[in-house]
Amino acid sequence: TIDIKPKKKKKRGEKRKHSDDTGEDVVLKPQFMDESQAATKQKSSNLTSIPSFMDICCLIPDEANAITFLTVHGVFPNLKEVVCAHCGYKGFRPKGKKTPKYIKCNRCSKGQSLMKGTLFEKSRVPLHQALYMALFWLSMSSASTVIAQLGCSSATVTEFFGKFRAHAKKCLDASPNEGLGNRDPEQIEQDMKVHIPRYARKDAKAHSDHFSAAMWRDLHVNNLWKAFIESLKTVKYDHDDSEIK
């Protein structure tokens, strides 16, 4: 057989990609290759703003390391700088190895929670698992994925996902100009294509929390994990915690 089709000369700066289905040559022009590479680079940068689950497991393997991690980042106070509310003495120490989340005064031995005033106050879930759930929430993983990975109950995952959404709303309320500004919330919701679950559409508070969480993610899409850790120390909570004896 003789191939009567003349072979096309490849122009300078073009690459040929052979298709297995038709056998035809597809010419990829440089400008389209640049756009594709830019889109891939932007997508990868958004993914790298959240560390992988294995990286967090190696960095924070247990609750003691989680306390150290949050103390280094300023979420938890330095024990030497904590002032006792009972005697006014400055300086605390860990209550015990089995209860690393609780501290007591060096003078009067009155105890209090290390998590007082933070998002994790009154939580019985270990801190490292709470941070794992935050990582999955930032990556918009489903509740079933979190349950399969961490072995938590669905009620625990639902509770913490609700806490994280409310926390995102509180962050936006603390700096409203950064979020809404002079824009219409309904128009922003349509532009961002925010997914509101069916159960939250009739509940004003749940609808507001989902919308605020989506906007907060959009504002910090290039640095989600760091922005979340920074927000933990800037937003304070008052749960009216009872005294721990």
Side-chain angles (χ1 to χ4, degrees):
T1 58
I2 302 175
D3 188 5
I4 60 175
K5 293 182 179 181
K7 293 184 179 181
K8 296 181 179 180
K9 293 184 179 181
K10 183 175 65 173
K11 295 182 180 180
R12 186 177 181 181
E14 295 180 348
K15 293 184 179 180
R16 295 182 180 273
K17 181 180 178 181
H18 296 280
S19 174
D20 297 334
D21 299 333
T22 60
E24 298 178 355
D25 291 339
V26 181
V27 178
L28 300 179
K29 295 185 178 180
Q31 59 267 26
F32 295 108
M33 292 178 61
D34 294 340
E35 292 176 2
S36 177
Q37 291 174 358
T40 305
K41 185 177 181 180
Q42 179 66 23
K43 184 177 180 181
S44 62
S45 64
N46 293 341
L47 293 176
T48 53
S49 67
I50 306 176
S52 66
F53 178 58
M54 293 303 298
D55 291 340
I56 293 298
C57 287
C58 296
L59 180 64
I60 312 173
D62 52 21
E63 192 167 38
N65 283 274
I67 292 174
T68 303
F69 174 79
L70 294 175
T71 302
V72 169
H73 286 80
V75 180
F76 292 160
N78 189 353
L79 297 185
K80 296 181 180 179
E81 302 296 328
V82 180
V83 179
C84 181
H86 300 277
C87 66
Y89 186 77
K90 186 177 181 180
F92 273 71
R93 65 183 184 275
K95 190 174 182 180
K97 293 183 179 180
K98 294 183 179 180
T99 56
K101 293 187 291 187
Y102 301 115
I103 56 178
K104 60 182 179 180
C105 178
N106 288 331
R107 175 184 287 177
C108 65
S109 297
K110 294 287 185 179
Q112 70 180 40
S113 174
L114 186 63
M115 301 184 296
K116 186 176 180 63
T118 66
L119 177 66
F120 308 106
E121 186 176 354
K122 286 189 174 183
S123 173
R124 297 183 179 180
V125 176
L127 280 173
H128 62 293
Q129 288 199 359
L131 292 175
Y132 296 164
M133 281 188 281
L135 180 69
F136 283 114
W137 177 77
L138 292 173
S139 60
M140 300 183 67
S141 300
S142 62
S144 58
T145 303
V146 184
I147 294 171
Q149 290 288 339
L150 303 182
C152 301
S153 64
S154 59
T156 301
V157 177
T158 302
E159 176 189 356
F160 269 88
F161 276 23
K163 280 186 177 182
F164 298 145
R165 286 193 297 268
H167 177 73
K169 184 178 185 303
K170 197 165 186 177
C171 293
L172 286 180
D173 292 341
S175 56
N177 295 329
E178 183 183 4
L180 294 175
N182 297 323
R183 296 178 293 174
D184 183 16
E186 295 183 358
Q187 186 63 36
I188 296 175
E189 185 175 339
Q190 294 177 1
D191 295 340
M192 293 177 57
K193 298 180 180 179
V194 180
H195 172 68
I196 306 296
R198 184 177 299 177
Y199 77 90
R201 294 174 185 173
K202 298 181 180 180
D203 188 351
K205 183 180 181 304
H207 185 280
S208 178
D209 289 349
H210 278 85
F211 172 71
S212 299
M215 175 166 288
W216 185 86
R217 282 196 188 95
D218 185 69
L219 289 172
H220 304 282
V221 65
N222 294 324
N223 206 1
L224 275 174
W225 176 252
K226 185 177 180 180
F228 177 77
I229 299 299
E230 289 292 324
S231 67
L232 292 177
K233 66 180 182 181
T234 55
V235 179
K236 300 298 181 182
Y237 290 83
D238 184 11
H239 299 281
D240 293 329
D241 194 6
S242 60
E243 178 184 347
I244 300 174
K245 299 181 180 179

